[in-house]
Amino acid sequence: MPLGKKVRPTSAAGKIQTQNIPSILTELGPAAGNAGQRRVKTSGPELWVERAPPSGVVVSQQDDPEISGQRPEWLERELLKQEHRRHSVALGDSATLRERRLWSADPSRSLRKLQIDQKVSLENLAKLKLAFEEFEKGGIRSLDMANFKQIVKKCLGLRDVNDEQIQELFMKIDYSGNGKIVWDEFCTYMQLEYTEKEESVYRSKQVALALPACIRPMCHGEPVLNIRATPDGTIVTVREDGEVYYWNSELQLKKSKAVFQERPVNRKPKWATDFVIMPQYNKLIIATGDREIQFYELSSLEPYCQVSALETVPLRIDFCLMDPDKCVILYGDAQGCVNIILMTSVGEMLRLWKKLPKVENVPNIGIDNAVLSPNVTYIRWKVHEDWVTQVKYFDSMRAIVSTSNHEQSALVIGCVLPTMNIEQTLREIREFCREGKTRKVQFAGGSPQPRPKGDQTIFPVYKGVKTFDLCKKHNILVTGGMDRLIRMWNPYVPGKPTGILKGHCAPIFYLFISSEDNRIFSVSMDNIAKIWDLQDQSCLFTAHPKASLIRGDVSACLFSPSMKGLYVAADSIALLSVRTRAQPQGHLTVSHREPVLCCGYSGAFRQVVSCTEGSVVKVWDFDTGSQVFEFGSAHGVSAITCLTFDPQGRRLVTGGRDGSLKVWNFNNGQCLKIFRRENGSKDVCDCTYLTVNRNTYVISVGWSRRIDIYFDSPEDPRHIQSPQPPWQDDLKHGHKEDILCVTQCPPSLLASSSFDGEIIVWNLVSGHSQCRFLTPLPPDSAYPEDADRSVSSMEFLRTRALNVEFTSAACLISSGPQGYVNFWNVMNGGKFFASFQASRLKCHITKLAVTKEDNLLYAADQSGYIYVYDINMYALGPERDAPKMTNYWRAHISRVTCLQIIEDDNMLLTSSTDCTVRLWTIHGEFIGTFGQSESWSIHTPSSWKHPTIPYEILIDPLSMPVHSILEGEGSVSDVIYSDQSKEAKAADEAKSDSNSKLRYPPLYISDKDIEEEIKNPCYPKEHGKRLRHEIFKNANRPPNHGGPKAYHTLKYFEIADTPTSFKRPDLSLAGMDPFLSSFAEDQSVESH
């Protein structure tokens, strides 16, 4: 049956045939079902039906062998983009893809994409509480997994909800692994999760203004009228007395000039009311109190022309370029009118006005004479009942927005020209035709015309509007006035504001909407500046005048999106720069905004947890790379240096530079316990979980130079716990320097390493040191006393340490100086076995990891490279040679802080101080960066980034190919003459049997020969008399070009002088005179 064909069914089989096909993917899917499905053949010979027993949805498909084959990669990629999947079933599974298509036929099943905790409403929460109380009345105070599944399906109304999601939620609440939960634990989990999510959103929007402000004093004078910015970033301010100032973006004065001409003493000085910039025509427009609009050159501030004799004094002025050569100049006056001057052929009109007679040394034209031109249209609308406080033209809406302090007409959005009324227009045309006059659509002079009601939208606001801003991108209008409230409107709905922002204690003076950042900037009359979030309608930052040091009455403000700064003019001009967290470049993808110091993988939830220098913890979905959860300030302002998981993988332990360990339920950000010393401890560098005799402990090491052991028991009610008594051997013969790393080998071995290169292997049962080593120096170490011996990473080869057959083999690997890796035997007192340089760049190895079978070693260095070595049969005895390197690649551009092998999926997890957490296959194929825009599926290779690599790695200098010259292994001449040398060497080898020599050996000049030639010149430094004569004897001789050139053979002729007046030739005889012929034709026409 063709796709989309509808046939009226006549039977049950017909209904199956005409089942609606939700999308084209339904017919493209494979015909083969899984074990949980059965195939039912219908009336058609080639038509099959797949039936899913749990849902009962039936979808028809055609059994096409080409379609039933392997799904193309582009289809899997598109399906992956359409759904933000959680960690359940892999997207690459064909059964899952088929089930997703079946779900698409039922809209109610789209709720399954959400987590259960995202579906809980207040009504559902009340039902869950009643269900818990019913079980409690029956004597069951805590619910197990089966009972919890039952009440969740019943109370949420989703009986077909996925059991895996319910089990995942149960495990998140039951972080201790008891197998039972109570109502208080459920409520605590939900409350903390939503609280941390809200704080995470707020943290992502953190913004501030640099305090104190950058203030530039201004000389005593009139207040600043307005602040404008030119396209090149120049800040322009104009005072009432006509003083114009040009500043750069950092408020350094570039230029100042008084543009008004001095008047006699008996005349009042001219004063300005507002100004605007015409950047397209390099003009500055100033409105004056003498009812004038003056145009000045923007670069030189020389007067250009002016339009005088306006109806009223322009208070607020604006300019906008509507078309390439059409503009609008509008201004509001004290009578509440909006005056509009539409100009076409703008450049030509301005040049024409410049040639007119001057008044006070400025070319002048009256508004009545200006509108006589067909290129000028003057319109005057009566809009408000009070003077206009602000007016602006928005080209995106083709409308004018004006405001006043009159409540009933506080803000008006109106048209520029009147709309076409057909009946009225026909009536006017008839009247003009009877009178025989021409009609020009404009209102020049006389009383202002009121706008028709259909041409404007009025927003009544209590106490009027003093300032406003409009954003077409977000379709939002904000207003502020004397009532100290910021109102948010839909520009097409004037009845009621969509939101009100409260917080200012004085009238609002300035508003600006930053559409790029979704923020609102506001300034009140008391010099307080605030930043608001546009979506949450919450205040993000407040700058008080005591902190900003802005003094005086504010007279003008401007926010520059390009400079990310707020300019405020009062007694002085000030700049408040916007400060946000360091954002990555547009082409870079990062997981955090701060350097990532550690990360780990939780197999219980299939999640990745990463911690940063800014004490932020993020939880990622391992299967898709998307962020699941985030909470900050885990250790206050201290960085998180290490992490580990409990044996069940449900709890997270983090160590910070504040010297404490914290145990978390990382799914909702709840701090369960705090481990720290009573007298205060120093930085924690590493930590690990271990189990001894069915008891679990947390071990931490750091700058305290001691091994701290904390007993972890779920029954212990203490929130803050101190470490166990230290080992006596640790007190007497422990480390003398800061301990950097610790690793364990169950059941009884523990190794710790310090900054001075000392490695101590401990017996966990007795607490005694089993053996100790000192990291050897590399063979080519020039300064042994200054060498860095610090050991930052160690790994046990557990298959060797727990096997009696390998008691004489190396079972401990540690990092060393200059990129070396050392192998040790810890049995029988310990012994050094082998060492090799793992880093090709001789960088310090920061992290080590070995596979489960101890056959591959992964080593990461400070430059971001990862090296893979085959150590299956290495260091079984003393070794001198290095193992075979099977692979290497660059994963990051800076120090690698985590290297973990995920054996179940054959993946490699890495993190770095370059703010990224990345996932790779064990073969080095790049899957993606956690936090990237496109999600991936680890079971769908088409969704991986491979074969591409991160852009920052591609352009980094260390990733570029090297050359022998750059490494100092050769010279430039060796490369230039390498081919000649090879040919000469081959010729010598071919003629090695003969004793003959070449008469003229091949030319070969090295750098050394050139230097010797320069040092020993063949001529004196000062020219002698004979040498000067030889050099200059041919200077005056004409050059010989080997014969005449082409231009030498050209002939030339004299040009005869012709008289300025000559006699007109007589062309009438030839019948060729056009003037006579046209004149004759005109005479003949008139005669007829």
PDB file of all heavy atoms in Angstrom, residues 464-481:
ATOM      1  N   GLY A 464       2.504  57.499  34.377  1.00  0.00           N
ATOM      2  CA  GLY A 464       3.182  57.701  33.109  1.00  0.00           C
ATOM      3  C   GLY A 464       4.443  56.876  32.943  1.00  0.00           C
ATOM      4  O   GLY A 464       4.796  56.052  33.788  1.00  0.00           O
ATOM      5  N   VAL A 465       5.124  57.113  31.824  1.00  0.00           N
ATOM      6  CA  VAL A 465       6.343  56.385  31.446  1.00  0.00           C
ATOM      7  C   VAL A 465       7.436  57.401  31.163  1.00  0.00           C
ATOM      8  O   VAL A 465       7.233  58.341  30.390  1.00  0.00           O
ATOM      9  CB  VAL A 465       6.110  55.472  30.225  1.00  0.00           C
ATOM     10  CG1 VAL A 465       7.415  54.845  29.777  1.00  0.00           C
ATOM     11  CG2 VAL A 465       5.092  54.400  30.550  1.00  0.00           C
ATOM     12  N   LYS A 466       8.578  57.195  31.780  1.00  0.00           N
ATOM     13  CA  LYS A 466       9.720  58.076  31.554  1.00  0.00           C
ATOM     14  C   LYS A 466      10.717  57.474  30.579  1.00  0.00           C
ATOM     15  O   LYS A 466      11.367  58.185  29.822  1.00  0.00           O
ATOM     16  CB  LYS A 466      10.408  58.384  32.889  1.00  0.00           C
ATOM     17  CG  LYS A 466      11.549  59.365  32.782  1.00  0.00           C
ATOM     18  CD  LYS A 466      12.119  59.703  34.142  1.00  0.00           C
ATOM     19  CE  LYS A 466      13.266  60.705  34.015  1.00  0.00           C
ATOM     20  NZ  LYS A 466      12.823  61.970  33.402  1.00  0.00           N
ATOM     21  N   THR A 467      10.860  56.147  30.587  1.00  0.00           N
ATOM     22  CA  THR A 467      11.798  55.479  29.695  1.00  0.00           C
ATOM     23  C   THR A 467      11.238  54.122  29.315  1.00  0.00           C
ATOM     24  O   THR A 467      10.388  53.567  30.021  1.00  0.00           O
ATOM     25  CB  THR A 467      13.173  55.317  30.368  1.00  0.00           C
ATOM     26  OG1 THR A 467      14.067  54.654  29.479  1.00  0.00           O
ATOM     27  CG2 THR A 467      13.058  54.503  31.641  1.00  0.00           C
ATOM     28  N   PHE A 468      11.731  53.581  28.204  1.00  0.00           N
ATOM     29  CA  PHE A 468      11.263  52.289  27.713  1.00  0.00           C
ATOM     30  C   PHE A 468      12.322  51.690  26.803  1.00  0.00           C
ATOM     31  O   PHE A 468      13.281  52.352  26.404  1.00  0.00           O
ATOM     32  CB  PHE A 468       9.936  52.443  26.949  1.00  0.00           C
ATOM     33  CG  PHE A 468      10.099  53.045  25.575  1.00  0.00           C
ATOM     34  CD1 PHE A 468      10.254  52.223  24.454  1.00  0.00           C
ATOM     35  CD2 PHE A 468      10.130  54.408  25.398  1.00  0.00           C
ATOM     36  CE1 PHE A 468      10.418  52.771  23.191  1.00  0.00           C
ATOM     37  CE2 PHE A 468      10.298  54.960  24.147  1.00  0.00           C
ATOM     38  CZ  PHE A 468      10.436  54.143  23.040  1.00  0.00           C
ATOM     39  N   ASP A 469      12.112  50.427  26.471  1.00  0.00           N
ATOM     40  CA  ASP A 469      12.896  49.749  25.436  1.00  0.00           C
ATOM     41  C   ASP A 469      12.069  48.600  24.902  1.00  0.00           C
ATOM     42  O   ASP A 469      11.218  48.042  25.620  1.00  0.00           O
ATOM     43  CB  ASP A 469      14.231  49.247  25.968  1.00  0.00           C
ATOM     44  CG  ASP A 469      15.197  48.892  24.843  1.00  0.00           C
ATOM     45  OD1 ASP A 469      14.941  49.328  23.703  1.00  0.00           O
ATOM     46  OD2 ASP A 469      16.186  48.181  25.088  1.00  0.00           O
ATOM     47  N   LEU A 470      12.315  48.257  23.652  1.00  0.00           N
ATOM     48  CA  LEU A 470      11.542  47.221  22.975  1.00  0.00           C
ATOM     49  C   LEU A 470      12.498  46.265  22.296  1.00  0.00           C
ATOM     50  O   LEU A 470      13.490  46.689  21.683  1.00  0.00           O
ATOM     51  CB  LEU A 470      10.579  47.846  21.952  1.00  0.00           C
ATOM     52  CG  LEU A 470       9.549  46.917  21.301  1.00  0.00           C
ATOM     53  CD1 LEU A 470       8.249  47.676  21.044  1.00  0.00           C
ATOM     54  CD2 LEU A 470      10.056  46.371  19.967  1.00  0.00           C
ATOM     55  N   CYS A 471      12.218  44.974  22.409  1.00  0.00           N
ATOM     56  CA  CYS A 471      13.029  43.921  21.786  1.00  0.00           C
ATOM     57  C   CYS A 471      12.115  43.098  20.899  1.00  0.00           C
ATOM     58  O   CYS A 471      11.212  42.406  21.395  1.00  0.00           O
ATOM     59  CB  CYS A 471      13.695  43.055  22.844  1.00  0.00           C
ATOM     60  SG  CYS A 471      14.653  41.685  22.175  1.00  0.00           S
ATOM     61  N   LYS A 472      12.328  43.168  19.612  1.00  0.00           N
ATOM     62  CA  LYS A 472      11.511  42.407  18.675  1.00  0.00           C
ATOM     63  C   LYS A 472      11.852  40.930  18.707  1.00  0.00           C
ATOM     64  O   LYS A 472      10.994  40.069  18.469  1.00  0.00           O
ATOM     65  CB  LYS A 472      11.717  42.964  17.257  1.00  0.00           C
ATOM     66  CG  LYS A 472      10.845  42.309  16.202  1.00  0.00           C
ATOM     67  CD  LYS A 472       9.371  42.564  16.452  1.00  0.00           C
ATOM     68  CE  LYS A 472       8.523  41.964  15.345  1.00  0.00           C
ATOM     69  NZ  LYS A 472       7.078  42.130  15.589  1.00  0.00           N
ATOM     70  N   LYS A 473      13.101  40.592  19.041  1.00  0.00           N
ATOM     71  CA  LYS A 473      13.513  39.189  19.075  1.00  0.00           C
ATOM     72  C   LYS A 473      12.721  38.407  20.116  1.00  0.00           C
ATOM     73  O   LYS A 473      12.238  37.302  19.847  1.00  0.00           O
ATOM     74  CB  LYS A 473      15.009  39.106  19.366  1.00  0.00           C
ATOM     75  CG  LYS A 473      15.542  37.695  19.503  1.00  0.00           C
ATOM     76  CD  LYS A 473      17.023  37.701  19.826  1.00  0.00           C
ATOM     77  CE  LYS A 473      17.556  36.284  20.015  1.00  0.00           C
ATOM     78  NZ  LYS A 473      19.006  36.288  20.354  1.00  0.00           N
ATOM     79  N   HIS A 474      12.587  38.974  21.307  1.00  0.00           N
ATOM     80  CA  HIS A 474      11.838  38.319  22.378  1.00  0.00           C
ATOM     81  C   HIS A 474      10.393  38.795  22.457  1.00  0.00           C
ATOM     82  O   HIS A 474       9.653  38.324  23.325  1.00  0.00           O
ATOM     83  CB  HIS A 474      12.525  38.556  23.719  1.00  0.00           C
ATOM     84  CG  HIS A 474      13.914  38.006  23.805  1.00  0.00           C
ATOM     85  ND1 HIS A 474      14.169  36.653  23.935  1.00  0.00           N
ATOM     86  CD2 HIS A 474      15.126  38.603  23.746  1.00  0.00           C
ATOM     87  CE1 HIS A 474      15.478  36.460  23.976  1.00  0.00           C
ATOM     88  NE2 HIS A 474      16.080  37.618  23.867  1.00  0.00           N
ATOM     89  N   ASN A 475      10.039  39.747  21.595  1.00  0.00           N
ATOM     90  CA  ASN A 475       8.672  40.264  21.557  1.00  0.00           C
ATOM     91  C   ASN A 475       8.262  40.788  22.934  1.00  0.00           C
ATOM     92  O   ASN A 475       7.238  40.395  23.502  1.00  0.00           O
ATOM     93  CB  ASN A 475       7.687  39.193  21.080  1.00  0.00           C
ATOM     94  CG  ASN A 475       6.370  39.784  20.618  1.00  0.00           C
ATOM     95  OD1 ASN A 475       6.316  40.924  20.169  1.00  0.00           O
ATOM     96  ND2 ASN A 475       5.303  39.028  20.733  1.00  0.00           N
ATOM     97  N   ILE A 476       9.072  41.698  23.473  1.00  0.00           N
ATOM     98  CA  ILE A 476       8.840  42.199  24.808  1.00  0.00           C
ATOM     99  C   ILE A 476       9.102  43.701  24.833  1.00  0.00           C
ATOM    100  O   ILE A 476       9.984  44.205  24.132  1.00  0.00           O
ATOM    101  CB  ILE A 476       9.723  41.466  25.847  1.00  0.00           C
ATOM    102  CG1 ILE A 476       9.318  41.847  27.249  1.00  0.00           C
ATOM    103  CG2 ILE A 476      11.183  41.752  25.604  1.00  0.00           C
ATOM    104  CD1 ILE A 476      10.000  41.040  28.317  1.00  0.00           C
ATOM    105  N   LEU A 477       8.302  44.394  25.637  1.00  0.00           N
ATOM    106  CA  LEU A 477       8.406  45.832  25.840  1.00  0.00           C
ATOM    107  C   LEU A 477       8.505  46.094  27.333  1.00  0.00           C
ATOM    108  O   LEU A 477       7.705  45.567  28.121  1.00  0.00           O
ATOM    109  CB  LEU A 477       7.182  46.550  25.252  1.00  0.00           C
ATOM    110  CG  LEU A 477       7.018  48.035  25.559  1.00  0.00           C
ATOM    111  CD1 LEU A 477       8.051  48.853  24.811  1.00  0.00           C
ATOM    112  CD2 LEU A 477       5.614  48.504  25.187  1.00  0.00           C
ATOM    113  N   VAL A 478       9.504  46.880  27.753  1.00  0.00           N
ATOM    114  CA  VAL A 478       9.676  47.219  29.166  1.00  0.00           C
ATOM    115  C   VAL A 478       9.528  48.720  29.324  1.00  0.00           C
ATOM    116  O   VAL A 478       9.981  49.501  28.473  1.00  0.00           O
ATOM    117  CB  VAL A 478      11.041  46.742  29.704  1.00  0.00           C
ATOM    118  CG1 VAL A 478      11.116  45.244  29.732  1.00  0.00           C
ATOM    119  CG2 VAL A 478      12.187  47.315  28.897  1.00  0.00           C
ATOM    120  N   THR A 479       8.853  49.127  30.401  1.00  0.00           N
ATOM    121  CA  THR A 479       8.626  50.536  30.680  1.00  0.00           C
ATOM    122  C   THR A 479       8.980  50.814  32.132  1.00  0.00           C
ATOM    123  O   THR A 479       8.898  49.935  33.000  1.00  0.00           O
ATOM    124  CB  THR A 479       7.158  50.915  30.433  1.00  0.00           C
ATOM    125  OG1 THR A 479       6.313  50.145  31.303  1.00  0.00           O
ATOM    126  CG2 THR A 479       6.769  50.661  28.994  1.00  0.00           C
ATOM    127  N   GLY A 480       9.380  52.057  32.406  1.00  0.00           N
ATOM    128  CA  GLY A 480       9.687  52.502  33.763  1.00  0.00           C
ATOM    129  C   GLY A 480       9.340  53.964  33.903  1.00  0.00           C
ATOM    130  O   GLY A 480       9.387  54.734  32.928  1.00  0.00           O
ATOM    131  N   GLY A 481       8.981  54.342  35.114  1.00  0.00           N
ATOM    132  CA  GLY A 481       8.572  55.718  35.333  1.00  0.00           C
ATOM    133  C   GLY A 481       8.659  56.125  36.781  1.00  0.00           C
ATOM    134  O   GLY A 481       9.477  55.611  37.557  1.00  0.00           O
TER     135      GLY A 481
END
